[in-house]
Amino acid sequence: MTYPRRAALLTRVREIHDVTPHMREISLTGPDVPHLRLRPGAHVVARIPGAEGYARRVYSIWRHDPRTGLLVLRVALHDAGGPGCTWARGVAVDDRIGVEPPRTKITVDESAKFHLFIGDETGAVPLLAMRAALHRSSRGAAVVHGVFEASSPEDEVPDVDGVPPLPWVHRGRSSAVASPVLLRAVQDLELPTTGGAAYIAAESDTCRLLQRHLIEQRGWSRHAIRVQQQWAADRPGFGAGRD
Ligand SMILES: Cc1cc2nc3c(=O)[nH]c(=O)nc-3n(C[C@H](O)[C@H](O)[C@H](O)COP(=O)(O)OP(=O)(O)OC[C@H]3O[C@@H](n4cnc5c(N)ncnc54)[C@H](O)[C@@H]3O)c2cc1C
């Protein structure tokens, strides 16, 4: 656990609902939320309260609605979970939570001729938000390919209404670490040969396998591939950095 040093935005939980058996949507509100400026794919560091202070955990922004003043996160509930999962499992309406100002690592390249989205359940949070923004900005004209992986059909992350769905594959009880199921699904995709932008968000070793496949087997330039590692085996607090 660490203690506050930098200012965080104070928010309160407005709504909670389960979007799958293993993913909880948590809507936050607060005086700063309507004024946030962020790009699709952005994330926040949430300061998860605990007995001795707080733990920092990173969550992608599923939706930001300045009009209603909502900042919506989708948090995966997994068995190995630490403070983030514990918070999401026990969170209640009106609970307070500090979030640090949004940052962006992965976002849409509007100039690409086509777009390739690849991710696991937690990666689907930023990627589907980006894909929905692209659908809106291009009025449905963007050429989109991709595939997502979940453990089972019931864990497929629901998309934004009105956006044509991308396919999902299922790993069953196999590990999501260095997932051969997602790699095979990507190897099977029929893609245009040039001019694309790829967006990969998943477990760290899976990201590496997928990136290597695109570069070595498909001849993609490294610059055309945007990668956001979401989590890594046995690395609590992955990606949150220091306070
Ligand atoms: C840029 C970025 C964006 C992210 N966006 C989201 C998001 O939108 N939604 C979301 O749910 N998470 C997201 N994450 C992951 C999130 O920050 C936490 O890592 C995750 O919630 C686990 O936190 P925890 O405190 O429960 O477990 P930790 O204390 O961080 O880890 C405990 C154990 O759980 C394992 N673990 C962590 N995640 C998973 C997983 N998905 N499946 C299986 N085992 C796991 C770890 O390897 C570790 O062994 C994001 C991470 C990054 C870096």
Side-chain angles (χ1 to χ4, degrees):
M1 294 280 184
T2 51
Y3 288 88
R5 265 183 246 140
R6 274 201 309 254
L9 317 175
L10 291 175
T11 71
R12 270 180 195 277
V13 175
R14 167 87 72 80
E15 287 168 19
I16 304 159
H17 81 273
D18 292 337
V19 292
T20 76
H22 297 102
M23 185 166 280
R24 181 157 284 184
E25 187 171 288
I26 303 171
S27 300
L28 306 175
T29 185
D32 299 306
V33 171
H35 311 295
L36 295 177
R37 298 178 77 82
L38 50 92
R39 288 188 281 172
H43 59 269
V44 288
V45 174
R47 295 182 172 182
I48 309 293
E52 300 165 33
Y54 64 78
R56 301 170 80 242
R57 293 293 182 270
V58 189
Y59 293 106
S60 300
I61 296 166
W62 171 248
R63 188 161 62 84
H64 172 234
D65 187 343
R67 201 176 41 83
T68 56
L70 287 184
L71 187 71
V72 184
L73 312 179
R74 286 184 161 186
V75 180
L77 309 172
H78 55 85
D79 295 339
C85 285
T86 305
W87 170 72
R89 284 200 168 93
V91 70
V93 168
D94 264 352
D95 279 0
R96 288 164 188 241
I97 179 100
V99 298
E100 296 172 15
R103 301 169 195 184
T104 309
K105 173 142 200 274
I106 193 170
T107 197
V108 176
D109 174 3
E110 299 266 354
S111 68
K113 285 194 193 143
F114 73 95
H115 304 264
L116 174 61
F117 292 90
I118 311 168
D120 64 11
E121 293 94 327
T122 65
V125 181
L127 296 185
L128 292 179
M130 289 160 57
R131 191 249 185 287
L134 177 65
H135 186 73
R136 276 194 304 275
S137 65
S138 70
R139 297 173 193 267
V143 179
V144 172
H145 297 264
V147 61
F148 290 96
E149 179 197 271
S151 55
S152 67
E154 62 179 8
D155 283 314
E156 294 178 8
V157 179
D159 214 325
V160 174
D161 284 348
V163 179
L166 288 165
W168 286 76
V169 291
H170 307 115
R171 63 178 174 274
R173 288 168 182 271
S174 308
S175 167
V177 176
S179 172
V181 174
L182 188 54
L183 176 63
R184 217 171 303 122
V186 174
Q187 286 168 333
D188 288 345
L189 288 176
E190 280 187 30
L191 299 174
T193 45
T194 55
Y199 316 100
I200 301 173
E203 184 278 329
S204 154
D205 288 349
T206 304
C207 286
R208 265 193 288 277
L209 282 180
L210 295 166
Q211 188 179 24
R212 198 180 311 145
H213 163 68
L214 293 181
I215 293 170
E216 292 178 6
Q217 263 98 53
R218 299 218 189 223
W220 282 60
S221 152
R222 189 172 289 277
H223 304 296
I225 308 170
R226 287 143 181 85
V227 180
Q228 180 164 281
Q229 300 177 4
Q230 302 273 123
W231 61 282
D234 301 323
R235 290 185 57 189
F238 183 81
R242 287 168 186 272
D243 189 31

